[in-house]
Amino acid sequence: MTTDLNQLAVRLQDFASARDWERFHTPKNLVMALAGEIGELVAEFQWLTPEESTSLEPATFDRVRSELGDVTTYLVRLADLLGIDLVGAANAKLDESERRYDADLYRGSARKAPPLTS
């Protein structure tokens, strides 16, 4: 990635501020916008075969890239407003998954692990 998430968050803050949109960028509104954009991303893959989904036609690739940009924008803005470090959250989730899904027990399996016990 060429721009880190903190730089993107600052750019998004500036973008919203320049347009006086901060009042619209509530966590609720951003989550709803994020869900809509994820739906648009899903629609790009909905009727593709697994093979087609791994080698997108150029026009589809461009639309997917644009939708991923939208999803990222809303996700980064939401995390910034809530004070959540996205990379830290992703690493914490991966740490949890590593504990839940022992590589030797789950290699090649799509089965779900039982919840972790404290």
Side-chain angles (χ1 to χ4, degrees):
M1 308 244 172
T2 57
T3 305
D4 76 21
L5 293 179
N6 291 329
Q7 290 173 320
L8 180 57
V10 169
R11 187 170 177 205
L12 290 167
Q13 289 169 7
D14 292 345
F15 179 86
S17 179
R19 289 155 182 81
D20 193 26
W21 286 356
E22 294 98 337
R23 61 189 156 159
F24 305 118
H25 286 195
T26 64
K28 178 200 76 77
N29 288 353
L30 291 169
V31 167
M32 292 174 69
L34 178 60
E37 294 302 336
I38 290 171
E40 291 178 19
L41 179 60
V42 168
E44 291 298 332
F45 288 90
Q46 184 171 8
W47 302 114
L48 300 180
T49 66
E51 295 76 23
E52 290 169 335
S53 73
T54 61
S55 57
L56 300 173
E57 294 179 359
T60 304
F61 179 87
D62 289 344
R63 289 191 306 272
V64 165
R65 183 177 185 273
S66 178
E67 295 306 336
L68 283 170
D70 289 338
V71 167
T72 302
T73 296
Y74 285 118
L75 184 62
V76 168
R77 186 77 173 124
L78 175 63
D80 183 46
L81 282 178
L82 295 175
I84 294 172
D85 170 9
L86 276 176
V87 174
N91 277 311
K93 190 64 178 181
L94 185 55
D95 290 344
E96 178 186 321
S97 293
E98 285 176 334
R99 289 189 301 274
R100 288 184 69 198
Y101 294 95
D102 179 273
D104 291 331
L105 295 174
Y106 286 90
R107 186 171 288 109
S109 171
R111 75 182 189 275
K112 189 157 175 67
L116 285 177
T117 56
S118 298

